[in-house]
Amino acid sequence: MDSEQLSLQIKLEASSPQPETVECLGMTFENEEARRAYFTEKLREKLQDPDFRKIEGFPISEDKDILTLSDPPYYTACPNPFIKDFINYWKQENEQKKSTEEAEKYHREPFAADVSEGKNDPIYNAHSYHTKVPHKAIMRYILHYTEPGDIVFDGFCGTGMTGVAAQLCGDKTTVESLGYKVQADSTILDEDGNTFSKLGVRKAILNDLSPAATFIAYNYNTPVDVV
Ligand SMILES: C[S@@+](CC[C@H](N)C(=O)[O-])C[C@H]1O[C@@H](n2cnc3c(N)ncnc32)[C@H](O)[C@@H]1O
């Protein structure tokens, strides 16, 4: 390699994006592949536990198929053994932000409003499903009842629109498209100018009896690198 080629190679290496490290459940990984490999081994170990396989509704499947379909710890094609870890981790994160007194003071009046959303949003239409709920309708409830960082559980998630809604509670444009106003300090005001909620992502745990539903929900809720 002559000096011109070498200098070109150095320039290319310097300009190509360096892989960013990945944080997951308090651990740092070199990249997503390393995170996946680590938790796939943990899931493989868990699959050896006969009690784990006794959970009602456990898929009739070989381990290799479960492991191939899964993206642990976020999505597993069987009951997810990492849910407890997520809840503990998220609770810890939230406790650092809120005092115990604040957390115990939780009170909300019932959300009483007419909620009507069309079924023509491109996100809604990305995958059809029976009795699918528009994410923008769900967002109003999540914003009313929760604060950023709170955990939302949908045990009948279908395509995972509750997860989409929970994530979009952190998106100013989408929140304002509901008729609310987002202030500079992230406070959300309702149509009458009253304080309604705070802008910020909520965490979602999604479950469904149907493996097809959870697979769709996983894909709906996972960032995609289209480059
Ligand atoms: C009305 S759909 C939910 C649609 C979802 N809101 C969406 O936006 O896509 C109801 C879901 O409940 C699931 N389901 C029914 N019985 C269940 C059970 N016992 N445990 C968990 N999920 C169940 C079905 O598989 C179905 O996906």
Side-chain angles (χ1 to χ4, degrees):
M1 191 184 293
D2 62 25
S3 62
E4 205 173 308
Q5 280 175 316
L6 183 63
S7 107
L8 179 64
Q9 188 181 337
I10 291 168
K11 267 189 214 150
L12 283 174
E13 277 174 10
S15 63
S16 58
Q18 295 301 305
E20 282 173 29
T21 56
V22 166
E23 300 287 324
C24 181
L25 288 175
M27 288 178 261
T28 306
F29 298 91
E30 208 175 293
N31 50 37
E32 289 292 0
E33 271 74 10
R35 182 268 305 158
R36 197 172 295 118
Y38 174 84
F39 284 105
T40 298
E41 275 318 300
K42 293 275 163 215
L43 181 60
R44 194 191 306 278
E45 284 166 25
K46 192 71 192 160
L47 288 168
Q48 305 306 313
D49 175 357
D51 283 340
F52 180 52
R53 302 192 83 104
K54 277 189 202 145
I55 295 175
E56 208 180 338
F58 199 95
I60 302 164
S61 163
E62 292 184 13
D63 288 7
K64 71 171 172 42
D65 296 325
I66 293 176
L67 293 168
T68 305
L69 271 176
S70 300
D71 182 14
Y74 302 116
Y75 163 68
T76 60
C78 63
N80 189 327
F82 307 104
I83 289 182
K84 211 169 162 188
D85 299 324
F86 275 113
I87 293 176
N88 288 337
Y89 184 71
W90 289 338
K91 270 167 86 178
Q92 246 178 19
E93 265 188 344
N94 242 8
E95 271 160 20
Q96 284 164 6
K97 281 186 246 149
K98 284 189 212 171
S99 66
T100 320
E101 202 188 325
E102 252 182 293
E104 282 171 3
K105 237 172 36 197
Y106 178 88
H107 173 82
R108 294 289 191 284
E109 290 299 319
F111 182 61
D114 290 330
V115 174
S116 168
E117 287 295 340
K119 296 192 168 178
N120 45 12
D121 189 287
I123 296 179
Y124 180 88
N125 285 321
H127 203 295
S128 62
Y129 199 72
H130 47 269
T131 60
K132 188 175 162 99
V133 179
H135 60 283
K136 287 187 177 175
I138 307 171
M139 280 176 75
R140 295 179 190 274
Y141 292 89
I142 295 181
L143 287 169
H144 175 78
Y145 285 108
T146 69
E147 294 189 19
D150 282 352
I151 303 171
V152 178
F153 172 66
D154 187 349
F156 301 81
C157 72
T159 52
M161 300 310 279
T162 300
V164 172
Q167 295 200 55
L168 288 174
C169 286
D171 185 75
K172 183 171 183 267
T173 309
T174 313
V175 169
E176 292 200 322
S177 78
L178 303 176
Y180 304 136
K181 189 100 205 87
V182 180
Q183 294 190 306
D185 69 350
S186 301
T187 301
I188 300 174
L189 306 179
D190 68 13
E191 297 88 342
D192 301 322
N194 299 318
T195 299
F196 176 64
S197 188
K198 276 257 173 203
L199 186 75
V201 168
R202 278 68 168 165
K203 317 280 193 180
I205 293 194
L206 307 174
N207 173 76
D208 199 286
L209 194 60
S210 154
T214 55
F215 189 66
I216 300 165
Y218 155 65
N219 282 290
Y220 245 122
N221 282 279
T222 308
V224 181
D225 187 354
V226 288
V227 180

